Amino acid sequence: MEWWQMALYILFLLIGMVLLVKGADWFVDGASNIAKALKIPSLIIGLTLVSMGTSAPEAAVSITSAINNNVEMSVGNVVGSNIFNTLFILGLSAMIMPLVINRDMKHFDIPIMLGLYILLAICCFVISPGSIDRWQGGVLLAAFIAYMVFLFLRSKNTPDENPEFLEEKEKMPIWKAIVLTVVGLAAIIVGGTFSVDCAEVLALEWGMSESLVGLTILALGTSLPELVTSVVASIKKENDIAIGNVIGSNLFNVMFILGISAMITPHTLAPDAGLTIGWMIASAVALLLISFFYKTTKKWHGALMFGGYVVFITLLILQNYGIISLIA
């Protein structure tokens, strides 16, 4: 490939990433205003629309990958995004400002996330070794619906603790909110297509596997909305938003995105799936232990989590280029 062709693919990849991030921003703004106009509680907005909106890039990339039969990229994007969300984003947020993990998050959402990861591992390595079948995707989607019902019922007994973060922006007319939501969704879809197609070409040119592209380039790019939301929330001392956005996005990624993409195309896992899913489980265990033994996160917790992500990425890159082997 000529240098100018490679430069063009990189340019289109960057354009795709910008469309994904900006589209997610528009989608969240529009959908949040529609929800507020319909008087949906702010907790539901925060844990559903905000987390789903910031996960829209992952949805676009994974579903597009599944349609194009790039299943390793689809799984890699979800797993890589979840590891990035927990270790990098929460690690960075905790280094900026101590985070208080509320009781509901500690007793419900984080254990549910860990349980979901373990269930995914059982499906991938015990029930149907090396794959995620369509019926398993259906189970994940059913779990997503059940979790949404659980969230809604739980919200009725939960006070509105952080309405300010969700109401910072001036209210917009309902027609404008609908237009913004539709335009945002269109930008996400176009950006997802650009990102996947360009990343696949560059991966082959650079000798990277589809799985590694999903776990690194696409995972980092599609997680930018979560990064911005959680870091800003951390600076503003909005703990529930900073942590809830990450946990909600992680749950949405596995239950909805992986569920629907597996129903479109059954997934065959990459050889290093044991390492990556294991690291994802370890990140959830670390967060659960921190929440149970400490009232607030410490800066050294954040540094350890951040360091865990750096080690993870380093191992993946070294393995991809044959410098080390971590596959049994």
Side-chain angles (χ1 to χ4, degrees), residues 5-318:
Q5 291 175 308
M6 185 176 296
L8 199 59
Y9 276 113
I10 293 172
L11 175 63
F12 279 115
L13 176 63
L14 293 175
I15 290 172
M17 293 295 187
V18 170
L19 284 172
L20 283 171
V21 175
K22 196 60 189 172
D25 184 41
W26 290 336
F27 178 83
V28 170
D29 280 352
S32 296
N33 276 278
I34 292 171
K36 281 185 281 187
L38 297 174
K39 301 195 183 302
I40 296 174
S42 64
L43 177 67
I44 294 295
I45 297 173
L47 290 178
T48 57
L49 288 176
V50 173
S51 62
M52 289 177 196
T54 55
S55 284
E58 286 94 329
V61 167
S62 291
I63 292 171
T64 303
S65 297
I67 292 170
N68 293 340
N69 207 32
N70 299 331
V71 290
E72 286 188 10
M73 196 177 289
S74 177
V75 176
N77 180 47
V78 166
V79 175
S81 293
N82 280 21
I83 294 171
F84 181 83
N85 289 348
T86 305
L87 297 181
F88 187 98
I89 296 178
L90 282 186
L92 183 60
S93 299
M95 285 194 288
I96 294 171
M97 189 71 63
L99 301 174
V100 180
I101 304 175
N102 71 36
R103 185 177 298 180
D104 274 7
M105 202 74 67
K106 177 171 72 174
H107 290 296
F108 295 119
D109 304 290
I110 298 175
I112 288 172
M113 181 178 72
L114 176 57
L116 185 67
Y117 290 173
I118 293 171
L119 175 64
L120 179 64
I122 291 171
C123 287
C124 293
F125 303 116
V126 178
I127 297 175
S128 56
S131 66
I132 305 174
D133 296 330
R134 280 197 175 93
W135 71 267
Q136 292 167 339
V139 169
L140 291 174
L141 278 177
F144 172 73
I145 294 169
Y147 180 69
M148 288 297 102
V149 172
F150 170 66
L151 259 188
F152 179 76
L153 295 175
R154 206 174 93 200
S155 72
K156 293 193 170 185
N157 299 316
T158 304
D160 252 0
E161 294 178 351
N162 291 304
E164 299 86 1
F165 185 86
L166 297 168
E167 293 175 1
E168 281 180 349
K169 296 186 179 178
E170 204 175 307
K171 274 190 179 179
M172 63 177 68
I174 189 71
W175 68 265
K176 187 176 179 182
I178 293 171
V179 170
L180 205 59
T181 304
V182 172
V183 171
L185 185 60
I188 288 166
I189 292 169
V190 173
T193 303
F194 272 26
S195 299
V196 170
D197 290 349
C198 294
E200 185 182 12
V201 172
L202 291 172
L204 294 174
E205 185 67 22
W206 293 338
M208 297 171 69
S209 66
E210 288 183 2
S211 175
L212 181 61
V213 173
L215 286 160
T216 54
I217 298 172
L218 292 180
L220 271 64
T222 57
S223 288
L224 287 177
E226 286 95 331
L227 175 60
V228 173
T229 300
S230 289
V231 170
V232 170
S234 175
I235 293 169
K236 292 176 179 288
K237 299 183 181 179
E238 297 286 359
N239 294 281
D240 290 350
I241 297 293
I243 301 173
N245 171 54
V246 165
I247 304 303
S249 294
N250 286 354
L251 290 167
F252 181 74
N253 286 350
V254 174
M255 290 188 286
F256 182 83
I257 298 176
L258 201 53
I260 200 165
S261 60
M263 291 187 73
I264 293 170
T265 305
H267 291 353
T268 302
L269 301 180
D272 60 2
L275 168 68
T276 56
I277 293 176
W279 213 278
M280 185 173 71
I281 292 172
S283 70
V285 170
L287 186 58
L288 186 64
L289 289 174
I290 290 170
S291 71
F292 268 96
F293 289 105
Y294 295 88
K295 290 183 179 179
T296 62
T297 61
K298 311 293 183 185
K299 288 192 176 181
W300 66 267
H301 293 152
L304 281 177
M305 293 169 76
F306 191 89
Y309 184 75
V310 172
V311 171
F312 170 69
I313 290 297
T314 302
L315 290 175
L316 282 183
I317 293 172
L318 292 176

